[in-house]
Amino acid sequence: MQADDILAYLDDNPDFLASHAPRYGLKPLQERVVSFADRQMLDLKDRNRQLEARLTQLIRHGEQNDQIVARSHKLALALLRGHNLAAVNQAIQQVFAEHFGLQRVALRLWHPAAENSEFYNSRQDIRLLAGNLSAPYCGPYASDEIIGWFPATPVLQSFAQVALRDGTEPFGMLVIASDDPQRFTLEMQTHYLAQMGELMSQALLRVLDKA
């Protein structure tokens, strides 16, 4: 007997598999036996649902990345327009407030050219902290010194801490804070934040070198 003969017999006798389900390892579905073809189709539909969910997630992430790139571009343009330290700080504050919805942004510098400015802070613990940041830190922790850079209210729940560098040597730190504990988390990717830190570092060095 050939395979085609067997398949033809099964087509003509649909109850055969139901009667011998245990022998062939078939599982009932809603009180009926599912054929091999039906089981393959169900598996395929399940895989398609998983792929659709994954594709939706990728599209959502792609849209979020596009938004971040566009906002980073706005930051770069604003930084280019700053001709002194106060103007660069204003550009940073404005972009994060208008395009990221973040109102709590603190800039502190220990560059010699910033010594007479409101941004100067040469505390050793802050300099050590910046030196230890190989990547921006995102999470719920901040030192008492950093928390003191912000108003007492609202109570801040999460922080992004970005070292500002001249090459490999830090000369300042930017801290972004939020009262939303989920705004900056330990699991966040910091790639774009690091790039924005590089943009801000170069803009600050440009005006500091002219001071």
Side-chain angles (χ1 to χ4, degrees):
M1 181 176 291
Q2 301 297 318
D4 290 342
D5 297 330
I6 296 173
L7 293 173
Y9 177 81
L10 292 176
D11 288 339
D12 294 336
N13 299 272
D15 296 332
F16 177 84
L17 290 175
S19 302
H20 300 82
R23 179 173 182 177
Y24 295 102
L26 300 176
K27 296 180 180 180
L29 178 66
Q30 296 179 346
E31 299 182 354
R32 69 181 182 86
V33 172
V34 181
S35 70
F36 290 115
D38 287 341
R39 288 174 62 184
Q40 289 178 331
M41 184 60 69
L42 290 172
D43 288 342
L44 183 59
K45 288 180 179 179
D46 185 56
R47 265 181 254 150
N48 284 341
R49 283 192 293 268
Q50 294 177 13
L51 289 174
E52 287 174 359
R54 178 60 175 162
L55 180 58
T56 300
Q57 184 182 45
L58 290 173
I59 291 172
R60 184 169 61 251
H61 287 170
E63 291 172 345
Q64 292 172 349
N65 289 341
D66 288 343
Q67 288 180 345
I68 295 174
V69 170
R71 292 167 180 171
S72 297
H73 180 65
K74 292 182 183 298
L75 175 62
L77 293 176
L79 291 172
L80 286 172
R81 290 191 290 267
H83 297 297
N84 55 48
L85 183 54
V88 171
N89 176 67
Q90 180 61 29
I92 293 170
Q93 300 285 339
Q94 185 174 353
V95 169
F96 277 104
E98 292 183 1
H99 300 289
F100 291 89
L102 293 162
Q103 308 290 336
R104 300 289 184 263
V105 182
L107 174 67
R108 294 296 184 272
L109 305 169
W110 46 90
H111 192 287
E115 189 170 357
N116 296 321
S117 74
E118 61 181 296
F119 310 107
Y120 191 71
N121 186 319
S122 61
R123 284 177 57 104
Q124 186 66 17
D125 56 338
I126 298 301
R127 299 178 69 163
L128 289 173
L129 174 60
N132 289 330
L133 288 176
S134 58
Y137 164 82
C138 292
Y141 306 113
S143 68
D144 291 340
E145 168 67 15
I146 289 176
I147 292 175
W149 298 349
F150 300 94
T153 56
V155 176
L156 301 174
Q157 301 288 331
S158 61
F159 303 85
Q161 302 173 30
V162 184
L164 303 170
R165 300 179 183 275
D166 183 359
T168 59
E169 187 67 23
F171 66 91
M173 177 179 286
L174 186 88
V175 179
I176 312 165
S178 173
D179 58 350
D180 179 0
Q182 298 303 314
R183 188 59 189 263
F184 301 109
T185 65
L186 295 171
E187 296 78 20
M188 283 185 65
Q189 297 293 325
T190 59
H191 175 70
Y192 290 116
L193 198 56
Q195 289 185 337
M196 285 186 275
E198 293 175 356
L199 288 173
M200 291 182 287
S201 295
Q202 292 304 309
L204 288 163
L205 288 171
R206 173 173 53 84
V207 297
L208 287 169
D209 289 341
K210 294 191 301 183

